[in-house]
Amino acid sequence: MEAEEYLQIMLEIAGSIVAGLLVAALILMLTGYDPWQGLYTMFIGGLSDPDYLLSRSSLIMMTGLAFAIPALASAFNIGGEGQMYVGGMVALVVSLLTKNAFLSILFGSLAGGGLGLLIGALRAYRQVNEVITAIMLNWIFYYLSIYLITAYYYNPIAPYRSLSVPEEAQLGTITLFNARLHVTFFISLALSLIAYFLVFYTKLGYQIRVSGLSQDSARYAGIKPERTFTYSMAIGGIFGGLSGALNVIAFTYYIDQLLTSMFGMGFDGIGVALMGRNNPIGIVLSSIFFSILLLGGQRMQIAMNIPKELTDALSGVIIIALAMPYAYRMLFSYLRVRRLMRVAK
């Protein structure tokens, strides 16, 4: 990527943040709240607990990659939610059976990858729309997980949640600069760097990007776009499964009966991926920023007695402002390729 393009992206992001903050300030003013106090409270509140901030952002980081990598192959992986559920549930069961953190995370990630592989294969080889398949599987695994926790893996002392991950299988915390931090952030950071290397420095990553730009060009270069599409969905599923596995093994150490510790994070990953321009490094930064907005919104509710719906709207405005330029660029690029293909024919 050229230096001029990096500069353009940085200016685009800065302008989007300013525009989003101005609209958020206007909304606060129109609803009778002090806009500057509100925005100050949002960002200071979001930074008040670094451990929770980084731990939460690490999980959204993984669901962001679950969307971003398939998106580079022109696949819309809306199944990060279900992949997170199945990854977390499998990791919990494996931890109870083996008391081994590595095996729990490994099998949780593979379970998510298997789900992504199924969705991708149905789309590539049977033309079953991946969005429809993913949405149905999201709900299937949501209610299946609730059933398993309620019927088999509930905690007798606290039936509202599952059995706890055995201590031998728990990944704990480290102390860094006098701050206690869960290791899940550092694991997710390392995995994001691996994803960056995979996308931009491997043959498979090149094939994924070429197939996403033009399937005809990919075929001309000897690439099979159907297979690449399926691989990208499987890789995305692995990251979705990792999100659920890390949540259970390295953060909460159990699953509550209604899956509230995971619910919605798969969809949050879509916004994070778009804010990060589907770049693994950008997703690291955007997931932290996204988490600041969410946690800061909670602090605004407490400190300024602002309704949750309003704080969610403020966060949404800022996120949309950041995501819109790249979403527009993706759509424009897709339409331009389609037009060129029609002209060539």
Side-chain angles (χ1 to χ4, degrees):
M1 189 180 290
E2 299 293 336
E4 293 81 3
E5 190 173 352
Y6 274 117
L7 178 60
Q8 179 184 351
I9 291 174
M10 295 302 296
L11 291 174
E12 189 177 87
I13 291 173
S16 298
I17 291 176
V18 171
L21 291 175
L22 288 175
V23 174
L26 179 62
I27 292 173
L28 283 170
M29 185 174 64
L30 293 175
T31 51
Y33 297 97
D34 184 338
W36 310 120
Q37 181 188 355
L39 294 177
Y40 175 82
T41 302
M42 173 179 282
F43 284 99
I44 295 300
L47 296 168
S48 61
D49 188 347
D51 179 41
Y52 186 68
L53 168 65
L54 294 178
S55 297
R56 183 179 179 88
S57 66
S58 66
L59 305 176
I60 302 175
M61 201 182 297
M62 293 296 95
T63 59
L65 291 172
F67 176 82
I69 293 176
L72 293 173
S74 292
F76 196 86
N77 183 23
I78 202 172
E81 191 86 358
Q83 290 149 15
M84 188 177 188
Y85 297 153
V86 72
M89 196 68 222
V90 169
L92 174 66
V93 174
V94 173
S95 73
L96 295 172
L97 295 174
T98 67
K99 299 183 180 180
N100 185 289
F102 174 77
L103 290 177
S104 301
I105 294 173
L106 175 63
F107 280 98
S109 64
L110 292 177
L115 198 57
L117 180 66
L118 172 64
I119 297 170
L122 286 174
R123 173 65 175 84
Y125 298 106
R126 289 293 180 266
Q127 301 304 310
V128 180
N129 187 280
E130 71 270 25
V131 174
I132 295 174
T133 307
I135 290 174
M136 291 191 296
L137 288 174
N138 285 347
W139 287 113
I140 288 171
F141 282 101
Y142 175 75
Y143 287 110
L144 179 60
S145 298
I146 291 175
Y147 170 73
L148 290 173
I149 294 169
T150 303
Y152 297 103
Y153 296 103
Y154 64 90
N155 189 324
I157 300 175
Y160 65 89
R161 65 180 181 86
S162 71
L163 293 166
S164 296
V165 173
E167 290 188 11
E168 302 92 326
Q170 294 180 10
L171 296 181
T173 61
I174 62 172
T175 302
L176 188 65
F177 302 116
N178 296 322
R180 184 182 65 89
L181 301 173
H182 282 79
V183 297
T184 179
F185 175 74
F186 301 100
I187 296 174
S188 296
L189 186 60
L191 291 169
S192 298
L193 294 176
I194 292 172
Y196 181 83
F197 179 81
L198 170 68
V199 169
F200 294 105
Y201 292 98
T202 67
K203 179 181 178 181
L204 178 59
Y206 173 77
Q207 292 175 341
I208 287 173
R209 288 183 286 122
V210 171
S211 297
L213 291 173
S214 171
Q215 290 193 0
D216 288 343
S217 298
R219 290 191 180 92
Y220 184 78
I223 300 170
K224 296 181 179 179
E226 293 83 6
R227 185 170 61 184
T228 304
F229 184 99
T230 305
Y231 286 166
S232 73
M233 287 294 291
I235 295 169
I238 287 173
F239 282 104
L242 277 168
S243 181
L246 289 173
N247 182 44
V248 174
I249 301 299
F251 187 50
T252 61
Y253 308 124
Y254 65 86
I255 304 176
D256 62 278
Q257 196 177 66
L258 295 179
L259 279 69
T260 54
S261 62
M262 293 188 280
F263 189 80
M265 284 193 183
F267 298 109
D268 291 342
I270 297 175
V272 162
L274 291 175
M275 283 196 294
R277 274 49 179 176
N278 283 340
N279 184 304
I281 304 301
I283 288 172
V284 171
L285 300 175
S286 63
S287 64
I288 295 173
F289 182 75
F290 183 87
S291 298
I292 289 173
L293 295 180
L294 291 181
L295 302 181
Q298 295 173 8
R299 180 58 61 91
M300 287 175 67
Q301 296 173 42
I302 297 171
M304 299 179 63
N305 198 28
I306 295 179
K308 180 181 184 300
E309 292 77 11
L310 181 56
T311 60
D312 289 345
L314 298 176
S315 299
V317 164
I318 299 172
I319 292 166
I320 290 172
L322 278 166
M324 277 299 292
Y326 183 68
Y328 168 78
R329 188 179 297 176
M330 286 179 63
L331 178 61
F332 180 78
S333 176
Y334 173 77
L335 293 175
R336 183 177 60 183
V337 170
R338 295 284 294 181
R339 185 171 62 252
L340 291 174
M341 288 173 61
R342 285 198 299 269
V343 172
K345 291 178 181 180

